[in-house]
Amino acid sequence: EVLLQQSGAELVRPGSSVKISCKASGYTFTDYYMHWVKQRPEQGLVWIGRINPANGNTVYAEKFKSKATLTADKSSNTAYMQLSSLTSEDTATYFCTRSSWDYWGQGVMVTVSS
Amino acid sequence: DIQMTQSPSSMSASLGDRVTITCRASQDIGNYLSWFQQKPGKSPRRMIYGATNLAAGVPSRFSGSRSGSDYSLTISSLESEDMAIYYCLQSIQYPRTFGGGTKLELK
C-alpha cells in the first residue's frame, strides 16, 4: 500500500524557518518525483515545486524560489521541504504528492504566529 | 505560465442532476489535465487523469472530456457524497498550475 506520511502540525514564529517531512512507503521512492502543494485557509491549491529523489534535481515555482528548499533522503525514503523567513502569508497546509498525483500526504498545517 | 481558468467558481445542484465543470487552458496542454476532488479537511483525491481517464476507485458517474482547449468534468447523476471542491491541474509544463476551484453544493 502506498503511503505518504507527513510530519505534524507546526506553530512557528515570524522570521523563523520550519522543515516538514514526507515519508514514502509502498513503492520505490526514486521512481517518482515528489511535488509539494500549498493551500492557505479557504483558498485553492498552489504548486510549490518538485524534487527528483533519485538525483536531488529540483524545480520551483518562481514565487517560492527563495521561500522553499526541497530535499530528499533516499536512505529513509523521506522528502523534506524547508520554508524560511516565515510570515503570516506562509500560514497554510502543505501537501506532498508523488508525480502521478494519485497519492497525497495528509497535509501539514503550518501556523506562523508570534 | 499556463493559466487554467475554471468555471463556475461555485454552483448548487440537486441530487440526480447532471453537473459539468470546465477548465480552459491558456496554452496547448494536450491531454495533460487532471481533475481532483477535495472535501473539507482532507487531501485532494485524483478523479480523472489524462483528461479522460477515470482514476482507480472513482465511480463511473464521473467522466472527463476535452474540446480544444476546454476540459470538462461531468458528474452524470449527482450524489450527496459528491459535494466538494473540484480542481483541475495541468501537468505538461512547469510551473504546474491549478484551476481556481469549483465549490459544488447541494441545492
Side-chain angles (χ1 to χ4, degrees):
Chain A
E1 178 194 12
V2 173
L3 277 176
L4 298 177
Q5 183 64 41
Q6 296 188 244
S7 47
E10 300 272 4
L11 173 60
V12 294
R13 300 292 184 229
S16 68
S17 297
V18 68
K19 191 172 186 178
I20 61 181
S21 65
C22 172
K23 183 172 176 59
S25 60
Y27 72 99
T28 302
F29 183 56
T30 52
D31 281 353
Y32 293 80
Y33 296 168
M34 192 71 77
H35 293 261
W36 291 84
V37 174
K38 176 182 181 181
Q39 187 171 40
R40 297 192 67 197
E42 305 303 318
Q43 301 294 311
L45 303 170
V46 179
W47 183 77
I48 296 170
R50 68 88 173 144
I51 186 166
N52 179 352
N55 60 17
N57 177 262
T58 53
V59 179
Y60 296 93
E62 189 65 35
K63 66 179 291 186
F64 291 101
K65 282 184 176 178
S66 57
K67 172 62 64 178
T69 302
L70 304 182
T71 56
D73 179 359
K74 290 184 286 188
S75 68
S76 63
N77 291 343
T78 303
Y80 298 93
M81 178 172 67
Q82 179 164 320
L83 300 168
S84 62
S85 302
L86 292 164
T87 72
S88 59
E89 297 293 303
D90 300 313
T91 292
T93 298
Y94 294 88
F95 297 99
C96 60
T97 174
R98 69 177 190 173
S99 51
S100 46
W101 301 87
D102 52 352
Y103 289 93
W104 292 63
Q106 79 275 24
V108 176
M109 179 68 204
V110 174
T111 303
V112 182
S113 175
S114 55
Chain B
D1 298 2
I2 297 175
Q3 308 302 316
M4 302 301 298
T5 303
Q6 190 170 340
S7 61
S9 57
S10 65
M11 65 180 300
S12 59
S14 301
L15 297 179
D17 281 355
R18 182 181 181 88
V19 169
T20 297
I21 297 166
T22 298
C23 271
R24 174 168 291 175
S26 64
Q27 301 175 35
D28 181 23
I29 61 169
N31 285 333
Y32 288 86
L33 189 286
S34 302
W35 289 97
F36 298 88
Q37 176 194 69
Q38 189 179 31
K39 295 183 177 180
K42 299 294 187 181
S43 305
R45 174 192 181 191
R46 189 181 68 167
M47 307 300 279
I48 299 287
Y49 66 95
T52 61
N53 300 293
L54 198 66
V58 174
S60 59
R61 63 181 179 275
F62 288 87
S63 64
S65 63
R66 173 190 177 186
S67 176
S69 60
D70 290 339
Y71 299 79
S72 296
L73 173 71
T74 297
I75 308 171
S76 61
S77 181
L78 194 65
E79 297 194 7
S80 57
E81 65 184 30
D82 302 334
M83 301 309 144
I85 300 176
Y86 292 85
Y87 297 94
C88 63
L89 165 75
Q90 66 80 16
S91 57
I92 195 172
Q93 183 185 106
Y94 291 117
R96 302 295 193 243
T97 45
F98 291 91
T102 296
K103 187 173 185 178
L104 182 54
E105 297 176 305
L106 201 56
K107 186 181 290 183

